[in-house]
Amino acid sequence: MRADAYDMTTTILAIFLIVYLGMILGGLPFLQLDRTGVALLGAIALIGVNALSLEQAVAAMHLPTLILLFAFMVISAQMRLGGFYDWVTRKLATLSLGPAGLLAALTVVSAALSAVFSNDIVCLAVAPVLIDVCRQRRLDPVPFLLALACTSNIGSAATLIGNPQNMLIGQTLRLDFGGYFLAAAIPVGFGLLACWALIVRQTGGRWLDAGPAEPAAEPPRVGAPFDGWQTAKGLVIAAALLAAFLAAPWPREHMALIGAGILLMSRQLHSRKMLGLVDWELLVLFMSLFVVNHAFQRTGIPSDAVAGLAALGVRLEQPGPLFAATFLLSNIVSNVPAVMLLLPVAHHETSGLLLALVSTLSGNLLIVGSIANIIVVDAAARRGVAIDWKRHARVGVPITLATLAVSSAYLALRFQLGF
């Protein structure tokens, strides 16, 4: 290797390591940067040192994934502005159910919504209203908030549009939408049942609210008023897209973009409001990580590392090692960066299903394992409800271990039977 090529490889490796250190820490010391800022700065640095040209950086971004993610953000914005999430959550409060029954209803609803509209969006919209609902019924919000976080993560694993990493996996590996849903339904269903049973058991009948742990930092949330017409438009588009994903041969990103375009043509909801609810930071994070990972792949270091592990008997393309690597990386650098790192070795026929299930279900282990967890905990803190990492881990750790155990047995059975 020539000296200049060696220097460039060293520079790329240093930038890559700094970016992924930022993914682990959630930012960089002494700088006001979050994960998105660190990834963007890394992409800028790579272009700045001529590791990639602008054209190569743009080409590195997986446009189908970005388009699909953007389109469903627009659809979710339609549902939020139509007051759908608030309406659903408040309807739950009117059901003639005891606390355990209400928890079961929340489990089903949050999982179903997350499978279609993304778990992060569902938690962002539902968590504040859920706290109000619990307090109106004099119930402790903590078990219900933990259920919301865990079941939204589990439910999002059911489809290829339930969370960002599943969108990336589905689009990159061109997985069949219906086939994936049927394959994921069993471990997801078990996970939801296990989550409900565990929280009910841990609560031990102590459902009543003992009062807020600390003063609320904000008053009760006043959400968007329910608009039946706007909600119906969003639901019709979502249902049409699901049907098209199952039956139509056209690219999913094209159909989703058309659906988002139809919703933007509104006489009542200004496009500024719709686009203002799009998570642009997440899109920038995706674009930046595509650039950083592409530059890293070009150095040949990842392929050499994979070959070295194979020489030691650890073949990452095989289900067992890939399962372990996905679990570990998802809890170290978060699930989206973990999936980006592991997709190049996803050659096995079960790799897509494995990556999607394990990266998503691993997010329940600790608060930092999933953005949905962080959203729920932050929403609770703003309303005077304290959920620390120990309280979350009491639910998250056993749920993660149980769901991953079932998933591993299920994946092994599929592999052995060849279906």
Side-chain angles (χ1 to χ4, degrees):
M1 181 182 292
R2 301 199 322 268
D4 54 347
Y6 177 81
D7 290 343
M8 180 59 72
T9 298
T10 303
T11 301
I12 293 172
L13 177 60
I15 293 172
F16 173 84
L17 291 175
I18 291 172
V19 168
Y20 273 80
L21 177 65
M23 296 301 104
I24 295 171
L25 300 177
L28 291 178
F30 312 113
L31 294 175
Q32 295 298 312
L33 291 172
D34 58 9
R35 286 185 173 91
T36 299
V38 173
L40 178 59
L41 193 61
I44 292 172
L46 288 168
I47 296 171
V49 300
N50 290 321
L52 293 174
S53 67
L54 280 173
E55 292 76 11
Q56 289 171 327
V58 172
M61 301 175 190
H62 196 259
L63 198 56
T65 300
L66 294 171
I67 289 175
L68 186 65
L69 187 57
F70 166 77
F72 271 90
M73 287 178 179
V74 172
I75 296 170
S76 290
Q78 172 80 23
M79 306 308 294
R80 288 179 68 184
L81 292 173
F84 173 70
Y85 298 117
D86 289 15
W87 176 79
V88 168
T89 308
R90 296 191 185 281
K91 279 293 182 182
L92 283 176
T94 65
L95 297 176
S96 299
L97 298 171
L102 182 63
L103 188 74
L106 174 66
T107 294
V108 173
V109 170
S110 64
L113 292 178
S114 297
V116 179
F117 298 113
S118 181
N119 56 344
D120 297 348
I121 299 296
V122 171
C123 287
L124 185 66
V126 171
V129 186
L130 182 62
I131 295 171
D132 294 340
V133 164
C134 289
R135 285 178 169 165
Q136 289 168 7
R137 296 187 58 160
R138 300 185 182 277
L139 296 172
D140 181 5
V142 173
F144 296 91
L145 290 169
L146 291 172
L148 172 64
C150 291
T151 58
S152 66
N153 284 329
I154 296 170
S156 72
T159 69
L160 293 173
I161 56 173
N163 54 57
Q165 66 269 17
N166 279 22
M167 291 185 187
L168 174 60
I169 294 165
Q171 293 298 100
T172 304
L173 301 181
R174 308 308 300 174
L175 300 181
D176 179 71
F177 191 85
Y180 173 84
F181 173 75
L182 292 175
I186 292 177
V188 166
F190 171 85
L192 295 175
L193 179 61
C195 184
W196 173 82
L198 177 69
I199 293 177
V200 170
R201 178 183 176 84
Q202 288 187 352
T203 303
R206 300 181 297 274
W207 297 99
L208 296 182
D209 190 1
E214 56 189 52
E218 63 180 29
R221 178 178 179 272
V222 178
F226 179 68
D227 187 322
W229 169 243
Q230 299 301 333
T231 295
K233 283 171 58 179
L235 289 175
V236 167
I237 292 296
L241 286 176
L242 289 177
F245 290 169
L246 290 170
W250 309 306
R252 288 194 285 268
E253 64 274 13
H254 291 187
M255 295 185 284
L257 194 60
I258 291 170
I262 292 172
L263 292 178
L264 285 171
M265 294 188 298
S266 175
R267 297 178 61 184
Q268 297 181 28
L269 299 180
H270 200 288
S271 59
R272 186 186 306 111
K273 291 184 178 180
M274 298 276 285
L275 297 177
L277 292 176
V278 169
D279 192 345
W280 297 105
E281 285 197 16
L282 181 58
L283 289 171
V284 171
L285 174 65
F286 258 71
M287 291 187 287
S288 302
L289 286 177
F290 278 132
V291 173
V292 171
N293 281 283
H294 179 67
F296 185 54
Q297 291 288 337
R298 280 164 54 96
T299 65
I301 294 175
S303 57
D304 290 343
V306 170
L309 287 172
L312 296 174
V314 181
R315 301 181 63 85
L316 283 180
E317 67 272 14
Q318 292 300 313
L322 184 60
F323 189 105
T326 305
F327 171 71
L328 291 174
L329 285 175
S330 294
N331 281 287
I332 294 174
V333 299
S334 188
N335 41 30
V336 169
V339 166
M340 286 189 175
L341 283 174
L342 293 171
L343 271 173
V345 298
H347 305 310
H348 193 273
E349 57 185 327
T350 63
S351 293
L353 177 62
L354 185 154
L355 275 175
L357 285 175
V358 178
S359 64
T360 302
L361 298 177
S362 296
N364 278 328
L365 187 71
L366 300 171
I367 289 177
V368 295
S370 166
I371 297 298
N373 297 342
I374 297 172
I375 288 171
V376 170
V377 171
D378 286 349
R382 290 194 299 270
R383 303 298 306 284
V385 179
I387 303 177
D388 61 15
W389 70 271
K390 292 182 181 178
R391 181 67 183 90
H392 179 275
R394 283 182 58 201
V395 172
V397 171
I399 285 299
T400 302
L401 297 179
T403 53
L404 289 180
V406 170
S407 297
S408 63
Y410 177 66
L411 289 167
L413 181 63
R414 288 181 62 90
F415 175 68
Q416 291 175 2
L417 297 181
F419 67 94

